[in-house]
Amino acid sequence: MVLKTVDHPSSLMTNFLRRCGGSAVLDGGLATELERHGADLKDPLWSAKCLLSSPHLIRRVHLDYLEAGANIIISSSYQATLQGFEAKGISRKEGEALLEKSVKIACEARDIFKERATKGLWDVSATLDHEQAPILVAASVGSYGAYLSDGSEYSGSYEDGVSLDSLKDFHRRRVEVLAASGADLVAFETIPNKLEAKAYAELLEEEGVEIPAWFSFSCKDGANVVSGDPIEECAAIADSCDQVIGVGINCTAPRFVHQLIQSIKKVYTLIYTILHNSQIELSCFKLQATNKPILIYPNSGETYDANTKEWVKSSGVSDVDFVSYVKKWREAGASLVGGCCRTTPNTIRAISKALETLL
């Protein structure tokens, strides 16, 4: 069963988390799993290359994560842009079809999984009966930096000519296509700076996108996104947009996540005066950066080298160490937990089991 938004975009996430017992599992890294299955991703399209060459591998990886206990799988459209396809000689119409295909593959994987789980062909790890457990498909939107394929989504440093309007123009048609593709929500991922977050928020409102979205930021420490913009200010942008139903962190080292959750939930106490019947009354009120569900899917803790386009393994976190963080993250306020680059179905299986113990 696919959950649909009833009255307000937030109802989708509210109903989803309720049916998952209060917390849910996101999937893990896509590109490295595709490579493990034999895909060659040394291409500006990165994982989106498999939409052309080997869509069956994408479906297989989605199924691996569903079998591991994921409640949300994210489409292979992170680096799939119309501009990137055109640079490869693919027409605008064909590029739009490939964007739709990325979501279709994820939906097909969900259907296959549900059918096999119903027939008892898989030993499903989730606590809930999988005939009743919700599974959502999120359509991935990567940053402008991902399209550049120069590692700038890990720094947030765009060239001087990049403006709010140019970012909106760059993303506009892709967002329109993905929003109408059959996905349950749109996942704006690895957002590197406040400017791009603002572009997304305005784009959602201007285009009247009818499905919900989440914003997920890439951070360099426990307080700032990779560009140096404070995470509280970025979260506030997400909170200001009604269409956004979740805000969080992805492709960030696990050691920073707890502090980032606290930063997102940080409360400011302000003193203000109210003139009432010619008298001055002093009052306090609390202003939160966001009260929306927090999602986190860090990378393995390794570092991406933009020059070699490879991950440096020396500082990686094992699945066991990664999962040791889950209880702390959940207690800090995260509702959705998964993995990003260099995490695997084993990571997600361990996260799923860890969250089960907290129900």
Side-chain angles (χ1 to χ4, degrees), residues 6 121 125 158 221 245:
V6 180
L121 299 179
S125 62
Y158 295 161
D221 53 34
I245 60 173

Side-chain angles (χ1 to χ4, degrees), residues 181-242:
S181 64
D184 298 292
L185 61 136
V186 178
F188 293 95
E189 303 187 280
T190 324
I191 306 172
N193 54 45
K194 189 164 61 175
L195 180 67
E196 197 149 21
K198 187 174 181 181
Y200 289 146
E202 292 189 9
L203 199 57
L204 288 172
E205 294 174 354
E206 291 170 5
E207 298 303 317
V209 174
E210 295 185 355
I211 68 171
W214 81 47
F215 283 13
S216 185
F217 298 90
S218 177
C219 298
K220 66 177 183 179
D221 53 34
N224 304 287
V225 299
V226 292
S227 67
D229 294 330
I231 186 62
E232 296 103 318
E233 295 179 13
C234 294
I237 292 172
D239 193 61
S240 70
C241 182
D242 286 343

Side-chain angles (χ1 to χ4, degrees), residues 3 19 33 165 226 307 358:
L3 295 176
R19 292 185 58 199
E33 282 301 292
D165 287 338
V226 292
N307 294 320
L358 301 177

Side-chain angles (χ1 to χ4, degrees), residues 60 103 139 157-158 177 179 185 222 225 228 274 281 303 308 319 322 331 336:
R60 180 174 178 177
V103 173
S157 299
Y158 295 161
V177 172
L185 61 136
V225 299
I274 298 178
E281 178 184 345
T303 303
T308 63
D319 290 341
F322 191 102
E331 290 174 348
L336 302 99

